[in-house]
Amino acid sequence: MLTLQFGQCGNQVGHTLFSTVAQDLYSANTGVPSKRNSDYVQAGFDTWFKELSKNGKHLARAILVDTEQKVVNTVCSSNESNSMWNYSPANIVCCAGGGSANNWGYGHYIKGPQLSLAALEAVRHEVERADTFQGFLAILSSAGGTGSGVGSYLMEKIRDEYPTKTMASSIVFPYGSGEVCTQNYNTLLTLAKFIDITDVAILFENDQIHGICENLTKVPNTNFNDLNHVIGQKLAAVLQPVLGTTNILSTLVHQLTPHPQYKIATIKTSLLALPSCQLYDGNYKWNSIVWHLKQMLRAPALNLNLTDMETKMPSNSIPSRTDFAYSKSVSNILITRGSSIGNDTIVPVELNDEKLYADWVPHVEKIAHLHQPRKLLGKDKTAALVANNSQLHRPIDAIVDKAWNTYIHSAFLHQYKQHGVEEDDFLQAFAKIENIVKVYRELCSEEIIS
Amino acid sequence: MSQFISVQVGQCGNQIGSAFWPLVLNEYGIQTSSNSVQLLKTQKDHVKNTRELSEAFHSFFHVPGNKGDLSFKTLADLNAAKVKARTVLIDMEDSVVSRYRQGPLRGLFDQTCSVTNYPGSGNNWAVGHYTHGTEYRDRIDETVRRVAEKCDCLHGFMITNSVGGGTGSGLGTAVLSFLEDSHPRVDRFVSCVFPSGTEDVVTAPYNVLLASRELLEHATCVFPVENKALLEICNAQMSKRENIDQASYNGSCLPFQDMNSIIVNMLLHLTSGSRFPGSLNMDMNELATNLVTYPKLNYIFSSVSPIALTASTMPTIPGTKMQDQLFTDAWSRSNQLLKTDPLSPGSVILSAAHVVRGTTSLTDMRRNIKKFQSKARFTRWSKEAMKVGLCSVPPFGHPASLLCLLNSTAMSNMLEVIVQQFDKLYSRKAHAHHYLEVNGFEENHFHESRESILNLSKQYIELQIQQPMNIPRLQLL
């Protein structure tokens, strides 16, 4: 698997992801016999890393793309000392002379083409040297200019060159209260591109991740490092080796996206093992964990705000009242890690509930369960649910709403026009995203989608 | 690492420059103390970010031979390494620039980076803009080119000038358009000083109006500063007992040091995101995208807290309370670099940027952004037009500081005053003949500039009373 890290957020999250993965592969507390563990470790290293560097460090299968050096420098230098892995210097594709100005147009039409030759060369090199190439994983945020603009330009190019390879993307949505003045435009344009280019887009919302940090870690002051750790752990919980498949990326895509109109997903996790979190408790039964994951898919009742269950710990007592309303999914994948024995086995039957799925989803395609007895990061139990669910229309809808409001008052548009993004391009992006909002929203209604 | 060229025009511009360079060196940990100049003090728990600082040294300085180690300690080290400031000094009288050549920092500047002449522009914008502009264009272009050649990634020009006089105002705006011609892709940030109401220059209203129009046309962003506001900040802040260090430092420097150091503080903060790493970088070229909501609305309000460059002698309590205080101070009128209050009743915010240097957390940031969003008034679409920057290297001596940049419709108030004062003078045609005598200047320039500033003011007002549009979102069939 080749990871592509775009922009500040992509590089920081990517770095956290690789650190998490390396830490997990070196973890001594495995919970499985050593033969089994070595298979796991072998598979993990094959997925994420290539050969050793001269000084004996694992080199990440990753390309770092940014329009300025500071983030990449910081990320690379933090690996120089006591770390088991590093990036290949040849895989750092950076151009100096100013970032992408928080402008999707500038990133896509000016910076992207500038970086394209070097980036594609690095990609070819990496793909050629992989024995069994799984696919691409792009990591980026949609708020700024580099991740969003350069990212979508390069992913388009890569798609042209590798039309049949699996491409997944993880896109981080900015805080609703604002990180960048043009974030809604950038997110809109990015999503419109990625929905066409990649096979599945995994969304992370900073607001939601922030909630998880604040509630689960109990650390009073959250910073971006904490957010990156949550995202890194979620990705690792899904993408680390599991039994029954050697290509987790394509398994994800096949299971999650049975219909070409539904290509976005989110990762729900129960029992995250955050470095700053002392609250980890592996004593929960798998039943409660599966129930906990199910509760994360609940639909809010009319006019009521639902507590995000992901910001809570699981509970061992399953309430007797179970007639909750749920947001419908197109498909779900449950990925569990840890021992499943005796009176505490994993039975994903709760997640097979008809109430969780749109009517037209065939019974066999509803849920897949992947398991790995080896502990993740030395924690007894971890569970992740990758959901292609109707809930996703909410954050996207909110962004379209704000972007549309700004658009009709034609604010900031001149910044995009000077780089060749015309009003018509915006309209097309709006149409595309409105369609996504519509189809995801309608999953929950009784209408039958043609 | 991005690099900046400071272009200082006129007496005021160069005086800001003479406050700028010692303080830049100070930020990079180089002591500039010579006989009378005292050191600025740091706080006890101040963390030195030596590595980040030395990596960012290229931003303002050219080091020949690209040596690896850039952690200079003293001025002698700099001189030994033949370090040069990335700057262009332009003045039509020699007095201020020649002080550079005699001062303790003379090693950083050489003859080749300055363009000077005698005897000035006579407080006449037209003389500065047309007479000197035509005569010195080639020399200025050549000087800029020489300095720019030493940059491998030139990020922006920072122009400092005043708009009340002749040279800074007239020639300064001419230089601005030279830069636009020769480096169209490099951003031009102007921080210019507007004279206080009680003029020492009779023709100031003409100069201000003519210059304001040029700034509108040719600058990427303008950060106007008013002398009166600076003076009030000085009176209120520098006299405080906790800022005694700053006061004694200022006293040991050239006149106007106290006022100019406030501008310098803002400029250092403004460029910090481009120079130093952080968990949410804000590059200078993002400023325009984020703040200029419509074409030409490029006049930006700025405020910094804390105001003093030196550490307070009072102990500060780190944590939530200090963070909140930073924000509250930055929004208060007393920290604004303009007399006009961007948050005055009736005005609306078009976009805002908050840049924190030093220790902070997302929790603090979010809480305060929310507070701001409930405190200020916005247009229908601008409430979430918030830019956030987090830079990990705090200013010298402080644990944290905040820069708040606002694009507010309150700017129309200032623009109206500019036009009013112009009208007062022009109704009597006082001194107008001095301008009309100048080759290249025509009476029409007055009218066009007035029109253009009035239009800008109107545009702000229109946004202020903008009726929200209610075009429904796209419907899919």
Side-chain angles (χ1 to χ4, degrees):
Chain A
M1 178 160 61
L2 180 59
T3 304
L4 301 151
Q5 310 177 172
F6 294 108
Q8 169 154 34
C9 170
N11 281 306
Q12 284 172 347
V13 171
H15 178 252
T16 316
L17 172 63
F18 275 99
S19 304
T20 310
V21 164
Q23 191 197 337
D24 176 46
L25 295 177
Y26 275 101
S27 156
N29 180 5
T30 66
V32 290
S34 66
K35 168 72 178 79
R36 223 174 196 174
N37 184 52
S38 71
D39 287 349
Y40 176 88
V41 170
Q42 184 64 43
F45 274 121
D46 276 351
T47 305
W48 300 101
F49 298 95
K50 45 186 186 180
E51 82 281 349
L52 296 177
S53 72
K54 278 187 206 117
N55 50 7
K57 290 187 179 191
H58 295 278
L59 290 174
R61 293 188 200 274
I63 315 268
L64 294 78
V65 180
D66 207 349
T67 47
E68 51 116 22
Q69 307 234 296
K70 290 192 297 285
V71 178
V72 174
N73 284 351
T74 313
V75 157
C76 290
S77 67
S78 70
N79 275 356
E80 272 164 22
S81 52
N82 55 41
S83 151
M84 301 310 295
W85 67 282
N86 212 340
Y87 291 110
S88 311
N91 286 358
I92 297 170
V93 181
C94 241
C95 74
S100 299
N102 286 164
N103 184 329
W104 186 90
Y106 191 55
H108 194 263
Y109 291 109
I110 312 282
K111 291 288 172 181
Q114 279 176 17
L115 290 162
S116 159
L117 261 181
L120 287 174
E121 192 52 45
V123 168
R124 273 178 222 126
H125 193 71
E126 284 296 324
V127 173
E128 275 165 22
R129 67 180 3 186
D131 298 334
T132 48
F133 184 65
Q134 279 198 25
F136 300 96
L137 171 70
I139 306 177
L140 55 124
S141 89
S142 62
T146 307
S148 69
V150 177
S152 47
Y153 179 83
L154 289 179
M155 290 303 276
E156 247 174 341
K157 291 279 160 201
I158 295 171
R159 176 48 100 200
D160 283 350
E161 220 170 305
Y162 303 95
T164 55
K165 299 288 182 202
T166 309
M167 278 181 135
S169 52
S170 26
I171 303 176
V172 181
F173 275 21
Y175 283 108
S177 62
E179 282 170 38
V180 169
C181 297
T182 49
Q183 62 184 28
N184 299 317
Y185 283 165
N186 292 335
T187 304
L188 177 89
L189 295 162
T190 308
L191 204 57
K193 284 284 180 195
F194 271 85
I195 225 71
D196 280 350
I197 306 165
T198 57
D199 298 308
V200 63
I202 301 168
L203 301 189
F204 296 96
E205 299 161 64
N206 268 350
D207 282 307
Q208 201 241 344
I209 307 280
H210 190 101
I212 297 178
C213 285
E214 284 202 327
N215 288 295
L216 285 186
T217 62
K218 306 286 176 203
V219 177
N221 288 322
T222 306
N223 57 41
F224 270 105
N225 207 9
D226 301 321
L227 263 59
N228 294 341
H229 268 289
V230 174
I231 299 175
Q233 290 245 325
K234 281 177 170 244
L235 286 170
V238 172
L239 297 171
Q240 280 292 57
V242 284
L243 301 182
T245 174
T246 50
N247 189 343
I248 179 77
L249 266 194
S250 78
T251 310
L252 271 183
V253 169
H254 283 141
Q255 171 64 31
L256 277 177
T257 57
H259 190 294
Q261 275 194 317
Y262 301 91
K263 285 163 78 173
I264 42 184
T266 176
I267 301 176
K268 312 270 181 192
T269 40
S270 186
L271 296 176
L272 275 182
L274 294 170
S276 52
C277 176
Q278 306 304 317
L279 277 177
Y280 184 86
D281 179 358
N283 290 326
Y284 292 103
K285 297 268 190 210
W286 281 113
N287 273 345
S288 336
I289 295 170
V290 170
W291 175 258
H292 184 215
L293 287 170
K294 184 181 179 185
Q295 295 318 297
M296 295 176 196
L297 298 179
R298 271 182 45 195
L302 283 174
N303 304 325
L304 279 177
N305 274 333
L306 198 64
T307 330
D308 181 2
M309 289 304 288
E310 210 176 351
T311 62
K312 300 268 176 285
M313 292 299 279
S315 153
N316 261 334
S317 60
I318 293 171
S320 51
R321 179 173 165 265
T322 52
D323 55 340
F324 301 119
Y326 292 95
S327 284
K328 310 262 181 190
S329 290
V330 173
S331 177
N332 290 327
I333 300 182
L334 173 69
I335 296 165
T336 49
R337 296 170 191 279
S339 69
S340 157
I341 36 154
N343 59 358
D344 186 23
T345 47
I346 308 158
V347 192
V349 64
E350 278 290 354
L351 291 169
N352 221 344
D353 190 342
E354 268 181 16
K355 283 190 287 181
L356 290 179
Y357 299 92
D359 306 336
W360 51 270
V361 179
H363 186 70
V364 283
E365 284 173 18
K366 282 179 178 165
I367 179 150
H369 176 209
L370 298 168
H371 183 64
Q372 172 59 259
R374 201 258 197 196
K375 293 178 185 173
L376 182 75
L377 293 158
K379 302 294 179 190
D380 292 341
K381 286 168 187 170
T382 350
L385 183 72
V386 192
N388 186 347
N389 187 280
S390 168
Q391 280 176 347
L392 287 163
H393 84 264
R394 285 173 205 285
I396 302 176
D397 185 56
I399 281 169
V400 177
D401 212 48
K402 289 174 189 166
W404 181 254
N405 206 358
T406 320
Y407 176 79
I408 55 174
H409 293 94
S410 44
F412 297 109
L413 284 183
H414 69 287
Q415 312 270 13
Y416 288 80
K417 270 188 194 154
Q418 67 182 6
H419 299 300
V421 188
E422 296 296 330
E423 281 169 31
D424 203 43
D425 298 318
F426 274 100
L427 276 181
Q428 283 180 14
F430 273 116
K432 198 165 270 172
I433 305 303
E434 288 283 11
N435 184 53
I436 291 172
V437 173
K438 178 170 177 264
V439 295
Y440 272 92
R441 186 189 284 138
E442 283 174 355
L443 276 179
C444 270
S445 66
E446 295 304 313
E447 284 172 53
I448 291 162
I449 296 147
S450 54
Chain B
M1 202 57 67
S2 33
Q3 294 151 353
F4 298 94
I5 296 178
S6 143
V7 180
Q8 305 161 7
V9 195
Q11 179 173 9
C12 173
N14 281 296
Q15 268 167 352
I16 297 172
S18 62
F20 181 75
W21 293 105
L23 291 169
V24 170
L25 289 175
N26 196 51
E27 180 169 42
Y28 286 118
I30 297 158
Q31 304 172 352
T32 53
S33 65
S34 68
N35 46 36
S36 66
V37 183
Q38 296 178 19
L39 281 177
L40 295 173
K41 292 216 176 66
T42 55
Q43 226 149 24
K44 277 199 202 80
D45 53 354
H46 181 68
V47 190
K48 279 224 175 89
N49 299 277
T50 321
R51 207 188 124 158
E52 284 83 359
L53 287 172
S54 67
E55 272 178 3
F57 193 71
H58 283 296
S59 298
F60 290 130
F61 298 95
H62 171 69
V63 185
N66 209 4
K67 290 202 308 172
D69 181 29
L70 294 173
S71 50
F72 299 103
K73 296 276 180 314
T74 62
L75 263 179
D77 291 349
L78 292 180
N79 291 337
K82 295 200 166 53
V83 171
K84 296 287 173 214
R86 298 188 196 278
T87 184
V88 177
L89 316 171
I90 302 169
D91 202 355
M92 290 296 115
E93 53 178 29
D94 211 22
S95 59
V96 182
V97 173
S98 68
R99 231 179 275 154
Y100 280 79
R101 299 209 196 96
Q102 289 144 21
L105 300 182
R106 59 184 171 276
L108 296 176
F109 308 94
D110 50 24
Q111 202 69 40
T112 60
C113 73
S114 61
V115 177
T116 55
N117 183 33
Y118 198 74
S121 309
N123 288 327
N124 186 329
W125 184 88
V127 171
H129 198 83
Y130 290 104
T131 315
H132 293 320
T134 321
E135 195 184 341
Y136 289 96
R137 168 144 204 184
D138 291 345
R139 269 187 65 191
I140 291 171
D141 276 348
E142 176 64 17
T143 313
V144 170
R145 193 184 57 78
R146 257 201 309 267
V147 180
E149 267 173 3
K150 291 184 189 160
C151 300
D152 42 23
C153 58
L154 179 57
H155 211 123
F157 291 105
M158 298 190 332
I159 299 132
T160 47
N161 61 350
S162 83
V163 292
T167 308
S169 174
L171 187 57
T173 49
V175 169
L176 192 61
S177 58
F178 301 165
L179 294 175
E180 190 180 22
D181 287 345
S182 58
H183 297 83
R185 284 192 172 271
V186 181
D187 287 329
R188 296 164 301 280
F189 303 101
V190 184
S191 59
C192 49
V193 179
F194 281 72
S196 36
T198 51
E199 317 300 348
D200 41 352
V201 177
V202 194
T203 51
Y206 289 163
N207 299 333
V208 170
L209 182 88
L210 293 162
S212 301
R213 191 253 178 130
E214 292 290 319
L215 292 173
L216 191 63
E217 305 278 343
H218 301 294
T220 314
C221 284
V222 185
F223 302 97
V225 166
E226 265 174 300
N227 263 337
K228 217 196 276 173
L230 296 182
L231 212 67
E232 278 174 21
I233 293 175
C234 287
N235 291 340
Q237 299 278 335
M238 299 303 181
S239 55
K240 277 190 195 162
R241 210 157 54 85
E242 58 186 72
N243 292 328
I244 186 111
D245 280 331
Q246 176 89 44
S248 62
Y249 172 77
N250 291 340
S252 67
C253 300
L254 298 173
F256 302 116
Q257 171 71 29
D258 46 355
M259 285 157 75
N260 287 336
S261 70
I262 297 168
I263 303 176
V264 174
N265 195 5
M266 193 271 285
L267 289 174
L268 288 176
H269 205 125
L270 193 66
T271 52
S272 64
S274 282
R275 293 183 289 141
F276 305 121
S279 59
L280 197 59
N281 279 333
M282 190 184 92
D283 262 340
M284 284 288 272
N285 69 356
E286 292 168 5
L287 273 179
T289 318
N290 281 291
L291 292 172
V292 184
T293 46
Y294 291 99
K296 295 200 179 164
L297 300 187
N298 60 350
Y299 277 69
I300 310 295
F301 285 93
S302 56
S303 60
V304 195
S305 70
I307 281 278
L309 277 158
T310 53
S312 155
T313 49
M314 306 285 184
T316 44
I317 324 108
T320 311
K321 213 170 164 195
M322 183 195 80
Q323 295 284 342
D324 289 351
Q325 193 60 43
L326 278 182
F327 281 87
T328 318
D329 284 350
W331 299 327
S332 85
R333 273 191 81 159
S334 55
N335 281 39
Q336 297 294 334
L337 271 57
L338 280 180
K339 279 295 288 167
T340 317
D341 181 9
L343 299 168
S344 61
S347 64
V348 295
I349 301 291
L350 302 176
S351 59
H354 291 91
V355 189
V356 180
R357 295 183 65 179
T359 49
T360 188
S361 73
L362 285 173
T363 314
D364 292 325
M365 194 70 174
R366 254 161 63 102
R367 183 181 57 249
N368 282 294
I369 293 289
K370 291 246 166 75
K371 207 196 278 174
F372 181 75
Q373 286 170 334
S374 63
K375 174 188 162 86
R377 287 185 62 226
F378 297 89
T379 64
R380 207 17 216 289
W381 46 269
S382 67
K383 189 155 187 174
E384 279 90 21
M386 295 285 147
K387 170 72 184 169
V388 171
L390 302 174
C391 171
S392 61
V393 179
F396 179 78
H398 290 287
S401 73
L402 170 75
L403 170 71
C404 174
L405 300 169
L406 300 174
N407 193 348
S408 161
T409 59
M411 194 57 84
S412 64
N413 298 337
M414 190 183 98
L415 298 170
E416 271 163 22
V417 173
I418 292 176
V419 174
Q420 277 166 18
Q421 295 197 325
F422 167 82
D423 286 349
K424 217 157 59 184
L425 199 63
Y426 192 67
S427 62
R428 292 177 283 124
K429 292 267 172 16
H431 300 283
H433 62 283
H434 293 304
Y435 288 71
L436 298 172
E437 277 166 9
V438 174
N439 210 354
F441 189 89
E442 285 161 31
E443 180 134 29
N444 226 355
H445 285 128
F446 282 131
H447 302 296
E448 281 169 18
S449 300
R450 184 177 181 276
E451 199 61 25
S452 148
I453 297 299
L454 268 185
N455 269 338
L456 180 66
S457 173
K458 252 190 231 141
Q459 220 181 327
Y460 276 117
I461 300 284
E462 273 166 23
L463 283 168
Q464 193 163 309
I465 55 171
Q466 186 182 49
Q467 290 301 313
M469 300 232 226
N470 280 314
I471 303 172
R473 276 164 54 174
L474 294 181
Q475 296 293 313
L476 297 167
L477 301 172

